[in-house]
Amino acid sequence: MWFPYLSADRIRHRSRHNKAAPAREKGAPLVFIEKEKSALRLAAGDARAEKLGLSPGLALADARARIPELEVVDMDRAADAAFLERIADFCDRYTPLVALDAPEGLILDITGCAHLLNGEDRLHADIKKRLTALGITLRASIAGTPEAARALARFGREKIVPAGGEPEAVFRLPAAALDLAPQTVQALSRAGLKTVGALAERPRPPLAARFGADLIARLAGVLGERDLCITPRRPMPPTMAERSFAEPIGLEDDMLAALRSLAGHVCASLETRGEGGRGFEAAFFRTDGRVFRIGIETVEPQRDPAVLMRLFRERLGALPDPLDPGFGFDFMRLAVIASEPAATPQASLDGNEAAEQEVSDLIDRLIARFGRDAVRRFVAVDSHIPELAARTVPALGAAEDGTAWTSLGGTPPASRPIHLFDPPQPIETLAEVPDGPPLRFRWRRAMHDIARAEGPERIAAEWWRADGLTRDYYRVEDDSGRRYWVFREGLYGLEAERPRWFLHGIFP
């Protein structure tokens, strides 16, 4: 698919919601310019500019001399690329294998998809009809190889080439249809090889020796002798289900009902294959070409439609902007973007598996509502300094993140507060020297008299840290019943002249 007036179509597509420029309303040709070697030159134009001979590369001054009422717009290649991506999103409804042929083309692998629209003729006509209705000019051809289809769309007539008919279809195309460098095309022209047919009739070894092996490879592709796989924008999902609607839908209940039906199909497919999905994506195609994609992830492989629907409802309910149906959605697709083998769960007598499943379900729902990065879990770190002994990672992160939690066997672990300050907060303390517990301390301008104290729990400094000092931790309770975790940093007279005290945590 080639979009010869992509920049102009983008401007006009945007102008549907805004007032067009006065010159355009009067029918003036539209051209796009960019600076090239200190001169402003035409980079693209619309159909009217092309008919008037205003081709890319022409100086703007020369173009104005010919057509004074010319409408001139700065070339915006980034905006054109974004517009091409939107068109590619629209074309996802025909096949999940859509590749960019930048700067103004797309390649669709419709193998196995044409029968869904009753043949290649109907599919070709449907693409033309829908994109033309959106104000996008295109030329599209269907052939056995992407190179042949591309050459016909850009340099020949729009055509549906039957299997094996590529040599005859491209015989009269110019040598530039091989997508070669301009210098190579010029050299071929000087040698009298101006068409693909002229090249095809020549022996390949001399051509390769003079013009390079790339010419032979491209020639083989255009002639249908070599079929290369395209590189799609999005990976091919292992399982998917889709549905088109005769009349666009816009009510949330209708959307959820259609999504539930698609979930049933993909889950049945996963069960047949003995797999479960870890990532799912629902795509909603609007009639004006816009596509909304909603994704969910699960901790455990899932193939239960009810679970998927609950997660999708959570995700839809948490969207900052609800799905805008506009004039309605006419196509939906549910794809499994990640899957892995999954056995049928067996109930255990101790109930541990049920508890783990409840935790997994909770994580799935939290991720669906708040996002993957907002839900985290603790992993152990090889350090005995309290604030360094654990860190958080995404709950759906790799299992090998961090180190394994160590078991103390029969020894009960030391009590730790749930809330730790990082870094610990300095406090003013009255304590017995050299190593007595605090009698009172001031924290945040409030004095706390200690009623009970337990400790010390001595934590030595890690020798590989240059600034580490020994810590003596105490669990203390003030006269109001509030419990704190405080420590003295440094051994009196050995590591510090006046050890400092810190509040590290609060017990519930």
Side-chain angles (χ1 to χ4, degrees):
M1 299 170 62
W2 180 45
F3 307 97
Y5 313 118
L6 183 71
S7 301
D9 291 342
R10 173 177 60 82
I11 293 292
R12 291 198 176 90
H13 191 270
R14 188 182 63 187
S15 300
R16 287 187 168 190
H17 307 287
N18 302 314
K19 186 175 178 59
R24 202 181 315 150
E25 289 183 342
K26 297 178 181 177
L30 172 65
V31 296
F32 297 83
I33 60 169
E34 61 184 0
K35 199 169 186 179
E36 180 181 343
K37 296 182 180 179
S38 303
L40 292 176
R41 296 186 179 277
L42 272 57
D46 63 358
R48 282 170 293 190
E50 186 180 59
K51 288 181 180 178
L52 294 171
L54 304 179
S55 56
L58 184 67
L60 176 61
D62 296 337
R64 284 196 184 280
R66 295 184 193 178
I67 314 294
E69 65 273 15
L70 199 64
E71 181 184 356
V72 180
V73 177
D74 289 334
M75 189 71 180
D76 190 345
R77 296 191 181 276
D80 287 349
F83 189 56
L84 186 63
E85 290 275 0
R86 287 192 57 182
I87 300 175
D89 284 341
F90 169 83
C91 292
D92 275 346
R93 67 174 58 220
Y94 298 105
T95 170
L97 299 179
V98 178
L100 297 176
D101 184 23
E104 50 202 18
L106 296 175
I107 298 176
L108 277 60
D109 187 347
I110 59 172
T111 305
C113 303
H115 71 281
L116 299 176
L117 287 174
N118 299 321
E120 294 176 347
D121 293 346
R122 296 285 186 86
L123 187 147
H124 183 272
D126 192 75
I127 292 177
K128 292 277 292 185
K129 177 183 175 183
R130 288 178 182 271
L131 288 180
T132 302
L134 295 176
I136 299 172
T137 305
L138 78 154
R139 294 168 55 86
S141 291
I142 298 177
T145 63
E147 293 92 341
R150 181 183 187 279
L152 286 168
R154 292 177 179 251
F155 297 92
R157 301 176 58 185
E158 292 183 273
K159 194 171 185 179
I160 301 175
V161 181
E166 287 80 9
E168 182 181 355
V170 303
F171 195 81
R172 298 181 183 278
L173 297 183
L178 298 178
D179 193 24
L180 300 168
Q183 299 84 350
T184 305
V185 175
Q186 189 176 14
L188 289 171
S189 178
R190 288 174 180 170
L193 302 173
K194 298 183 179 180
T195 64
V196 174
L199 286 167
E201 292 175 345
R202 295 280 180 173
R204 305 286 173 89
L207 287 176
R210 181 171 180 182
F211 299 103
D214 183 56
L215 169 65
I216 304 303
R218 293 178 183 274
L219 183 62
V222 170
L223 294 174
E225 300 171 357
R226 183 196 65 161
D227 185 12
L228 289 180
C229 297
I230 65 173
T231 304
R233 301 162 58 240
R234 308 169 64 84
M236 178 73 178
T239 304
M240 67 178 185
E242 54 193 30
R243 182 177 178 183
S244 58
F245 306 100
E247 293 293 335
I249 61 173
L251 298 177
E252 183 177 352
D253 291 343
D254 295 338
M255 295 163 52
L256 291 176
L259 191 58
R260 190 180 304 110
S261 173
L262 296 178
H265 286 293
V266 297
C267 289
S269 177
L270 287 172
E271 187 170 3
T272 302
R273 299 163 54 177
E275 296 181 344
R278 292 285 305 275
F280 300 83
E281 182 188 78
F284 303 84
F285 293 75
R286 217 165 64 175
T287 54
D288 63 353
R290 188 170 179 184
V291 181
F292 297 89
R293 301 183 189 277
I294 307 297
I296 60 171
E297 294 179 281
T298 61
V299 176
E300 301 292 337
Q302 284 289 349
R303 57 184 182 220
D304 186 346
V307 173
L308 297 187
M309 289 308 301
R310 185 171 67 241
L311 296 179
F312 271 117
R313 287 195 188 93
E314 292 276 0
R315 189 77 185 96
L316 290 169
L319 290 177
D321 296 320
L323 291 185
D324 179 11
F327 293 104
F329 299 104
D330 61 352
F331 187 82
M332 285 178 58
R333 173 182 293 151
L334 177 61
V336 182
I337 55 178
S339 63
E340 60 185 44
T344 302
Q346 300 288 333
S348 61
L349 297 178
D350 57 6
N352 289 336
E353 291 186 3
E356 293 176 358
Q357 186 60 46
E358 290 178 356
V359 173
S360 297
D361 292 344
L362 175 62
I363 293 175
D364 291 343
R365 296 185 65 181
L366 292 174
I367 290 175
R369 176 160 288 273
F370 300 108
R372 179 192 182 106
D373 295 336
V375 185
R376 307 180 71 82
R377 61 184 172 89
F378 283 103
V379 295
V381 177
D382 191 12
S383 174
H384 54 265
I385 303 300
E387 66 269 25
L388 304 178
R391 64 186 176 89
T392 63
V393 297
L396 275 181
E400 60 271 16
D401 288 342
T403 59
W405 295 99
T406 56
S407 173
L408 299 177
T411 305
S415 178
R416 294 283 189 271
I418 295 177
H419 184 190
L420 281 183
F421 293 108
D422 186 19
Q425 300 193 1
I427 55 177
E428 300 173 10
T429 308
L430 176 62
E432 298 176 359
V433 291
D435 54 3
L439 301 177
R440 63 174 55 179
F441 68 88
R442 184 190 301 276
W443 178 53
R444 292 181 179 176
R445 300 181 181 180
M447 186 64 72
H448 300 269
D449 292 320
I450 304 302
R452 301 175 183 82
E454 182 183 11
E457 176 191 355
R458 178 158 295 179
I459 298 179
E462 294 175 338
W463 58 267
W464 56 91
R465 300 182 189 276
D467 56 347
L469 296 174
T470 303
R471 296 179 179 183
D472 283 341
Y473 277 89
Y474 293 90
R475 289 181 288 275
V476 301
E477 179 178 325
D478 66 8
D479 52 5
S480 300
R482 292 185 286 264
R483 300 192 300 158
Y484 305 93
W485 203 37
V486 300
F487 70 89
R488 178 179 50 234
E489 186 180 55
L491 299 178
Y492 185 81
L494 297 176
E495 296 179 343
E497 291 296 329
R498 297 186 60 184
R500 297 187 303 166
W501 285 83
F502 295 89
L503 176 63
H504 203 167
I506 300 176
F507 290 97

